Amino acid sequence: MLLELFTPSVQHALDLAGIFVFAISGALLAVRKNFDVFGIAVLAEVTALGGGLLRDLIIGAVPPAAFTDTGYFVMPLVATVLVFFLHPQVERIQNGVNVFDAAGLGLFCVTGTTKAYEYGLGLTYSAVLGLATAVGGGVLRDVLANEVPSLLRWDRDLYAVPAIVGAVMVVLCIQFDVLNAFTSGLAVVTAFVLRLLAMRFHWRAPRAWNRRSSAVEEG
């Protein structure tokens, strides 16, 4: 292994926490779309596991972790039950959920990049898969819910950019042979803080120069 950022038990607990929070976001969108309980469960599972599943299939890590660890599969179902019965209460703590979602984003962009590199990908494509690990589930969630993916919308606070920064930090550390627990943790924290700042100050990516679009911002 290139790097053990945490002990296996701590890493596993962090993975489950990230999966749970991502699943909450998928389940909440399903409730807003008036999906039934099966639809809620599907959207929770896809949101939580989609990015990691895509990464593992591309790098040949089969069967993917999502199919070898029962906890990975069960955690989104726990989120489904919670949201099914308590979605008004969960909606009220959405800001708190967003904070944990930002933490999951930071963690997964780093671990995804590291795992891709361990399986033989070059630095550039390792960073790409780190990004895919962090945001892929959200893209699949939005597509299944018939929404324009938040990742592509100009009226949403920066989401992919913090993950890109975290992934790039990891590959630069690999390039200069300084990847260790501290620098990896720094990449996680950097992506996390950037996402929090983007939510706090509504940072958004620029649109086309001198655009002529008549699109308006949605509420």
Side-chain angles (χ1 to χ4, degrees):
M1 294 290 286
L2 177 68
L3 171 71
E4 286 291 348
L5 179 55
F6 303 104
T7 63
S9 59
V10 172
Q11 180 69 52
H12 189 252
L14 290 172
D15 283 346
L16 291 179
I19 286 169
F20 178 75
V21 175
F22 283 174
I24 288 285
S25 71
L28 284 175
L29 179 59
V31 170
R32 296 186 195 113
K33 289 286 186 175
N34 204 30
F35 287 7
D36 63 16
V37 64
F38 180 75
I40 297 172
V42 168
L43 226 57
E45 292 281 358
V46 166
T47 308
L49 303 177
L53 181 62
L54 175 65
R55 176 204 62 215
D56 288 351
L57 290 175
I58 290 175
I59 64 179
V62 291
F67 290 92
T68 59
D69 189 311
T70 304
Y72 285 13
F73 179 77
V74 170
M75 193 58 71
L77 298 181
V78 174
T80 297
V81 173
L82 178 66
V83 171
F84 183 82
F85 289 106
L86 300 173
H87 60 87
Q89 291 82 356
V90 176
E91 288 277 14
R92 284 199 290 268
I93 60 169
Q94 183 66 57
N95 287 338
V97 172
N98 287 341
V99 171
F100 285 103
D101 181 89
L105 181 81
L107 176 67
F108 286 172
C109 73
V110 170
T111 58
T113 302
T114 304
K115 185 171 183 178
Y117 185 78
E118 288 173 344
Y119 274 78
L121 265 65
L123 295 178
T124 299
Y125 295 110
S126 293
V128 170
L129 277 192
L131 171 65
T133 305
V135 306
V139 172
L140 292 174
R141 171 201 65 205
D142 292 343
V143 170
L144 288 177
N146 198 29
E147 295 253 325
V148 176
S150 297
L151 190 71
L152 305 179
R153 294 183 56 170
W154 62 270
D155 59 337
R156 292 292 186 265
D157 302 331
L158 293 179
Y159 194 80
V161 171
I164 292 171
V165 171
V168 168
M169 288 179 66
V170 172
V171 297
L172 287 176
C173 288
I174 294 172
Q175 175 68 40
F176 294 104
D177 197 26
V178 293
L179 186 66
N180 52 47
F182 174 77
T183 55
S184 295
L186 183 61
V188 172
V189 171
T190 299
F192 171 59
V193 171
L194 282 176
R195 173 58 180 160
L196 292 183
L197 291 173
M199 290 190 295
R200 174 65 178 82
F201 298 106
H202 303 297
W203 291 346
R204 295 169 183 176
R207 287 178 285 170
W209 185 259
N210 288 331
R211 67 184 183 86
R212 295 290 186 266
S213 173
S214 59
V216 297
E217 182 171 341
E218 297 181 16

